[in-house]
């Protein structure tokens, strides 16, 4: 479908589900204190999924408390994404980022959403049962400590994105095979690679190739994808190291991007 020779590597999700918080940070790296930059200054399309208020941001269908509409990333990471986006232009598509830097306030808003949803589904559940169910969706921000690498959510590093592909001219999303923020087996990045191996789909399936194209473009810039979700990609943080070790067999000993405080508020242009 696309003129690339590429396959998404099959991942052992049991390794991917192992914790990453124990991976140390290299606080001596010059990248550790690197500034956050606005993604719009790098020609990157962005719309905060959590800040939408038109009801179309499933599963929330409302604005998440603490979210903001401007998008920020570490400078080197944004530069890498801009280069990948330029390569994708020859295919008539572009990156469409739906979550970038996420404040702790937004993480708390998301935690409250999933906690309340769990409690509504299981009103007799214990606090610990609710906590464990909510942990299936995101990191618990209630014990956040900016000085403790074991406690901060990965999006608060400014080195993670949630991203899909869209047509450059029409703005229409490409068919990635499952909805954004859909927590199901089909959202695993290699889902259609495995379907191809069993003969359940043919090698022209657009869902297979759209995922390959996204993975190919970002991996060329040394970004890794969390194999549980085709939309999540990292560079230089703890998840990046975990995935490099689990999928590719080697990685640096330490991450260089840790927690970063929120940027100054910038209103929409």
């Amino acid at each position: 479908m696309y003129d690339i020779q590429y396959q998404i590597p099959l991942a052992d999700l049991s390794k991917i589900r192992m914790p990453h918080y124990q991976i140390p940070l290299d606080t001596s790296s010059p990248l550790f204190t690197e500034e956050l930059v606005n993604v719009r200054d790098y020609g990157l399309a962005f719309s905060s999924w959590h800040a939408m208020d038109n009801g179309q941001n499933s599963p929330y269908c409302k604005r998440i408390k603490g979210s903001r509409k401007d998008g920020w990333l570490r400078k080197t990471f944004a530069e890498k994404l801009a280069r990948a986006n330029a390569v994708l232009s020859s295919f008539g598509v572009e990156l469409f980022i739906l979550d970038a830097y996420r404040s702790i306030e937004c993480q708390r808003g998301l935690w409250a959403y999933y906690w309340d949803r769990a409690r509504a589904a299981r009103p007799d559940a214990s606090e610990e049962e609710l906590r464990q169910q909510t942990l299936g969706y995101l990191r618990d921000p209630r014990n956040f400590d900016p000085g403790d690498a074991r406690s901060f959510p990965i999006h608060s590093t400014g080195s993670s994105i949630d991203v899909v592909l869209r047509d450059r001219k029409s703005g229409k999303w490409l068919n990635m095979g499952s909805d954004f923020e859909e927590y199901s087996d089909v959202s695993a990045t290699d889902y259609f690679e495995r379907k191809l191996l069993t003969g359940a789909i043919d090698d022209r399936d657009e869902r297979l190739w759209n995922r390959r194209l996204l993975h190919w473009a970002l991996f060329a810039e040394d970004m890794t994808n969390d194999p549980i979700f085709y939309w999540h990609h990292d560079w230089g943080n703890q998840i990046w190291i975990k995935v490099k070790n689990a999928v590719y067999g080697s990685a640096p000993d330490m991450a260089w991007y840790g927690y970063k405080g929120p940027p100054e508020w910038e209103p929409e242009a």
Side-chain angles (χ1 to χ4, degrees):
M1 183 174 174
Y2 300 114
D3 188 20
I4 59 174
Q5 298 294 320
Y6 193 76
Q7 294 180 347
I8 293 168
L10 304 184
D12 180 350
L13 294 187
S14 66
K15 293 182 179 179
I16 299 302
R17 291 190 172 97
M18 296 294 289
H20 58 267
Y21 308 112
Q22 77 286 354
I23 295 171
L25 297 178
D26 181 5
T27 58
S28 67
S29 168
L31 292 174
F32 180 74
T33 56
E34 187 178 49
E35 72 269 31
L36 293 168
V37 296
N38 195 311
V39 297
R40 68 186 179 194
D41 295 333
Y42 291 78
L44 297 166
F46 174 82
S47 180
S48 172
W49 196 251
H50 301 134
M52 291 176 63
D53 54 12
N54 60 5
Q56 296 180 11
N57 56 334
S58 178
Y60 317 109
C61 300
K62 63 179 181 180
R63 180 183 178 274
I64 295 296
K65 184 178 180 180
S67 62
R68 47 191 290 173
K69 292 186 177 182
D70 48 344
W72 298 79
L73 291 170
R74 300 289 189 133
K75 183 176 184 293
T76 303
F77 189 36
E79 292 170 346
K80 286 176 169 290
L81 288 165
R83 290 194 294 269
N85 204 39
V87 171
L88 286 168
S89 67
S90 64
F91 298 91
V93 304
E94 67 178 349
L95 301 171
F96 187 33
I97 301 171
L98 300 168
D99 192 19
Y101 176 83
R102 186 190 302 166
S103 69
I104 298 301
E105 289 74 17
C106 183
Q107 187 81 4
R108 290 177 179 136
L110 287 166
W111 181 267
Y113 169 82
Y114 282 110
W115 181 280
D116 291 344
R117 193 171 79 167
R119 178 157 41 197
R122 301 176 59 198
D124 297 330
S126 68
E127 292 288 300
E128 180 58 23
E129 288 171 332
L130 293 174
R131 177 178 176 273
Q132 289 300 322
Q133 185 164 342
T134 308
L135 281 173
Y137 296 95
L138 76 163
R139 178 70 170 159
D140 187 347
R142 294 176 298 178
N143 296 317
F144 166 71
D145 178 350
D148 186 351
R150 298 168 297 178
S151 74
F152 51 70
I154 205 67
H155 274 274
S156 71
T157 66
S159 56
S160 296
I161 57 166
D162 295 337
V163 63
V164 296
L165 292 176
R166 73 176 185 181
D167 184 270
R168 279 183 178 263
K169 291 183 178 179
S170 69
K172 182 179 179 181
W173 292 25
L174 272 58
N175 182 1
M176 306 301 293
S178 70
D179 291 337
F180 177 63
E181 297 274 64
E182 178 181 330
Y183 284 68
S184 68
D185 291 344
V186 72
S187 292
T189 312
D190 64 9
Y191 180 84
F192 294 107
E193 298 286 353
R194 295 181 185 275
K195 289 295 183 183
L196 179 63
L197 288 174
T198 64
I201 62 172
D202 64 41
D203 62 3
R204 296 166 296 177
D205 193 291
E206 65 174 342
R207 301 166 297 179
L208 170 73
W209 279 100
N210 289 338
R211 290 193 186 188
R212 282 180 173 178
L213 184 62
L214 175 62
H215 202 284
W216 169 79
L218 297 186
F219 186 67
E221 287 290 336
D222 197 31
M223 289 171 248
T224 59
N225 160 253
D226 181 342
I228 298 174
F229 306 115
Y230 68 83
W231 56 78
H232 184 97
H233 296 257
D234 302 274
W235 186 72
N237 59 35
Q238 294 161 305
I239 287 184
W240 178 73
I241 288 180
K242 179 180 75 170
V243 171
K244 284 181 79 74
N245 278 322
V247 178
Y248 303 102
S250 64
D253 293 331
M254 295 187 286
W256 45 82
Y257 288 140
Y259 170 72
K260 189 75 170 175
E264 293 293 326
W265 180 263
E266 282 197 6
E268 282 192 305

